Amino acid sequence: DKMAYGGMYDQLGGGFHRYSVDERWLVPHFEKMLYDNALLSRLYLEAYQISRKPLYKRIVEETLDYVVREMLSPNGGFYSTQDADSEGHEGKFFVWTPEEIRQVLDEVEALAFCRFYDVTAEGNFEGENILNIQQPLKQVAEELRMPPQQLSEILARGRQQLFEERSKRIKPNRDEKILTSWNGMMAVSFIEAALVLQRTDYLEVARHNINFILKQLCQGRQVFRTHKDGQSKIKGYLDDYANLVEALLALYQATGDSSW
C-alpha cells in the first residue's frame, strides 16, 4: 500500500521508479527499470488474488500498460530502462507545482487534486512536488465537503488531463537494449496477468515478445544476453536461460500449445 501510494509509484503514468531514497517511499530515484516493473506487477497481481483489493488490480494494469506504452519495441522486445533525468535535472519530467496544475485544471478541481496528491507551494522535492497520497479518499472528501464519488471523478479526470499535459514535456531518455533475462521476467508477468485479469491483449504481448527472443536471441541451443540495433551478442548467463525457460513454460501453461 505504501509503495502504491508513494512517490516511488508514478501516480499519473503507472509503473514504479527504481527505489526510494527515504523511509516513506516518497522520493524515488526516478529511473524506471524493466525488471522492477516485471517483479512488482507480479507481486501486486498475487496480492490481488489473495485480497481482491481493487487497488492492487489497478496497479497491475497501470504498470503493464505503462510497459506497453513506453518500454515495448515495435519488434516485440522490452527495452531496459527509462532514465531519471530530463533536460539535465533528475525527476523534472515527473514533478509539479500548484501553478502548473492550476493551468490545466479549473480552480475547484485543482484545489481537490493538490489536496489529495500532497501538492503544496513549499513542495516535497527541491521546491516542487512528487505526487503521492497521504490520506484515504474518504477522509479528504469529508474535509473538502464533497461526496467521495465526486472526488474520485475529479481525480480521475485530473490524472488524465495532467498525464496529457506531461506528455508534452521532454521525456527522459531510454536505454533501448533488450536483455533476455529481463524480457523473460516481464513476459511471465504479462502471461500471469492475462490469465488472472482475463486480458487476452496481455497474452498477445507476451507471445509476440517470446517469438522475438527465440528468433533474435537464440541460435540452436545458444542463448544470447543482449540485443540492440539489430545485433545480438554476449553469450547468455544463467539468469538468461532461467528466465527464458520460465517464460516458455508459463506460455505453455497458459495456451496448452506444446510447441512452447
Side-chain angles (χ1 to χ4, degrees), residues 108-126:
V108 172
E109 296 197 339
L111 178 73
F113 194 93
C114 288
R115 173 65 189 83
F116 187 74
Y117 284 105
D118 187 35
V119 177
T120 63
E122 302 78 45
N124 56 31
F125 177 71
E126 297 178 357

Side-chain angles (χ1 to χ4, degrees), residues 51-170:
S51 68
R52 292 289 155 185
K53 191 169 179 177
L55 168 69
Y56 301 151
K57 180 185 178 187
R58 177 171 67 80
I59 297 298
V60 173
E61 292 187 313
E62 287 178 358
T63 299
L64 295 182
D65 291 348
Y66 152 74
V67 171
V68 170
R69 189 179 69 244
E70 301 285 348
M71 303 294 278
L72 183 61
S73 72
N75 56 23
F78 298 116
Y79 298 131
S80 293
T81 71
Q82 215 175 13
D83 287 353
D85 299 11
S86 56
E87 301 179 71
H89 296 281
E90 181 168 344
K92 184 174 174 63
F93 182 76
F94 298 100
V95 296
W96 296 85
T97 64
E99 182 54 37
E100 286 172 328
I101 291 172
R102 283 194 290 269
Q103 286 172 4
V104 179
L105 309 182
D106 71 34
E107 191 177 347
V108 172
E109 296 197 339
L111 178 73
F113 194 93
C114 288
R115 173 65 189 83
F116 187 74
Y117 284 105
D118 187 35
V119 177
T120 63
E122 302 78 45
N124 56 31
F125 177 71
E126 297 178 357
E128 296 186 282
N129 293 272
I130 300 165
L131 302 184
N132 73 104
I133 300 167
Q134 297 276 345
Q135 291 171 317
L137 185 134
K138 193 175 175 187
Q139 185 177 331
V140 176
E142 279 176 15
E143 187 184 309
L144 295 171
R145 296 181 181 168
M146 64 173 65
Q149 183 61 31
Q150 184 187 354
L151 177 58
S152 182
E153 288 166 5
I154 286 172
L155 296 173
R157 271 197 308 276
R159 283 194 302 271
Q160 185 58 38
Q161 288 174 271
L162 290 169
F163 174 77
E164 288 167 10
E165 183 66 24
R166 191 179 80 172
S167 67
K168 299 172 189 172
R169 297 176 175 177
I170 295 171

